[in-house]
Amino acid sequence: MRQKDLLTRAALTLALAVPAAGANAQAIQQETQVAEARREMPFQNVEWRDVRDERNDLHDLRSIRDQWNRAVATRDRVQERVADRRLRDWLQRELREDRGELREARKEAREARAEARRTGLRDDRRDLRVDQHDAARAAADLRVTRRITRELRELQPHFDRQTATTALYARKRRALERLIRLASDEHEMAQREAQEDREEYLEDLDPRRT
């Protein structure tokens, strides 16, 4: 066989092989993304449970607020004390959850910082910024909850002794409304984060969505 024919055949073979290699590489990349997305599925379920928990917290707090307002309006001291006990239990649970969320957020931020330093990749630096923002937000939420809890605890002895003035009732009502706004914000944030993560998860499963 002449050298020219050999060169022609080699060129044709290479031309056919390059697209195949590229297709194989793309297929491998997609399979990797799908595998990673499937591994993340349990985390998706956890995040939607977080949304449910935040919704339940908000519902319970609104129920406490409404019960307390009805009791005050009808001067039902028994129901007012019941609402106060429910509020105390809710605050204890919320503070415990907020502290746990802050510990977890700070842990994730530390892990993201170590990963970003190790790889130097832009995506890892972006993840670090997100985790640092989440940790800062968790710390701020805990500070606000603690501040409102401290105010309510300082007010409560006046209500227990039935010496609370109209001004103190107004302060307590405002504190309850601030708690509800905070719980509502946390619920909406959990919903947004879960939805964003779900969209990323679906894009990893099907890259054609991007």
Side-chain angles (χ1 to χ4, degrees):
M1 184 176 295
R2 291 180 301 175
Q3 184 178 9
K4 181 179 179 181
D5 293 334
L6 287 171
L7 291 174
T8 301
R9 180 172 297 182
L12 288 172
T13 301
L14 180 61
L16 292 172
V18 169
N24 288 337
Q26 184 177 8
I28 291 172
Q29 182 180 11
Q30 291 179 1
E31 289 174 1
T32 301
Q33 290 175 336
V34 169
E36 290 176 352
R38 286 173 176 164
R39 284 196 299 272
E40 291 174 358
M41 189 178 299
F43 297 101
Q44 301 291 323
N45 294 334
V46 168
E47 288 175 351
W48 284 109
R49 284 200 298 271
D50 290 343
V51 172
R52 180 199 61 197
D53 291 343
E54 296 290 357
R55 182 180 63 245
N56 291 341
D57 287 345
L58 177 60
H59 177 270
D60 290 344
L61 185 56
R62 283 173 171 166
S63 173
I64 293 167
R65 186 267 316 269
D66 294 343
Q67 181 183 23
W68 187 80
N69 281 333
R70 285 194 303 269
V72 170
T74 59
R75 298 184 179 181
D76 187 337
R77 283 294 302 154
V78 173
Q79 287 300 309
E80 188 177 339
R81 285 194 295 269
V82 171
D84 286 339
R85 285 196 297 270
R86 291 179 63 199
L87 178 59
R88 180 193 61 211
D89 293 343
W90 188 94
L91 286 168
Q92 290 176 347
R93 185 175 66 251
E94 185 67 14
L95 285 169
R96 185 169 58 251
E97 291 175 356
D98 283 356
R99 286 192 291 266
E101 290 172 2
L102 178 56
R103 284 193 299 270
E104 182 64 25
R106 285 175 171 171
K107 177 184 174 184
E108 291 180 358
R110 288 194 301 270
E111 293 174 348
R113 184 181 300 109
E115 184 68 12
R117 286 176 177 173
R118 185 182 67 83
T119 67
L121 296 176
R122 183 177 60 183
D123 287 348
D124 289 333
R125 292 197 301 270
R126 180 200 60 198
D127 291 343
L128 172 59
R129 289 193 297 271
V130 171
D131 288 340
Q132 288 175 329
H133 176 268
D134 290 346
R137 191 189 68 220
D141 288 347
L142 179 57
R143 284 195 299 271
V144 173
T145 304
R146 281 175 170 167
R147 185 164 58 247
I148 297 174
T149 299
R150 186 164 52 249
E151 179 181 2
L152 288 169
R153 286 174 177 169
E154 291 172 354
L155 293 175
Q156 193 57 42
H158 298 283
F159 293 89
D160 293 339
R161 294 193 299 265
Q162 300 185 37
T163 58
T165 63
T166 301
L168 292 181
Y169 271 97
R171 280 185 60 187
K172 186 171 182 177
R173 188 172 288 109
R174 288 194 298 270
L176 283 170
E177 292 302 330
R178 291 202 305 274
L179 273 178
I180 288 174
R181 285 197 298 272
L182 178 61
S184 179
D185 290 344
E186 290 179 353
H187 176 233
E188 291 176 1
M189 180 65 70
Q191 281 184 312
R192 285 196 297 271
E193 290 178 348
Q195 183 61 37
E196 290 170 0
D197 289 343
R198 180 178 181 273
E199 291 173 358
E200 291 179 4
Y201 168 72
L202 292 175
E203 288 173 359
D204 286 341
L205 283 178
D206 184 4
R208 292 173 299 179
R209 294 171 58 92
T210 58

